[in-house]
Amino acid sequence: MAKRTDWLPSPRADQLVMCRSWISVMTVEVRTAWGIPAPQFTELGLLFAAAQELLQKASGGERTPVINEQCREAFGALTGKMRFFKGHFFLVPPWTTRP
């Protein structure tokens, strides 16, 4: 069995935990210090909220093929934005949560 090398967790619930952690760390001061534009941060938050809501629906009594597809698309958008954040904002200094 091949060893997994991707930094992004596979389970969707774990992806949400990671994203929630990122959002909580990125205060206004941190975003300013790291050069994260407000629209990018806002988009991450909106994608997180949409993915979280659709995962709850897909895991609960509202599960339908349409909800499942919407959930898949929402997580595709969220993980794409998370990869963007890591590549554009997290791999360059400063790496501290303090400005």
Side-chain angles (χ1 to χ4, degrees), residues 5-69:
T5 58
D6 192 7
W7 58 268
L8 190 64
S10 293
R12 289 177 172 170
D14 292 349
Q15 292 170 359
L16 290 175
V17 168
M18 178 181 276
C19 188
R20 184 180 303 116
S21 174
W22 288 8
I23 289 170
S24 69
V25 167
M26 288 187 275
T27 62
V28 172
E29 293 82 16
V30 170
R31 291 194 315 265
T32 300
W34 291 2
I36 300 172
Q40 291 289 338
F41 180 73
T42 300
E43 184 179 3
L44 179 67
L46 293 172
L47 292 171
F48 168 79
Q52 184 176 38
E53 178 183 346
L54 285 162
L55 183 60
Q56 289 173 347
K57 287 182 180 181
S59 300
E62 297 181 57
R63 185 177 191 142
T64 66
V66 172
I67 295 288
N68 289 344
E69 179 60 23

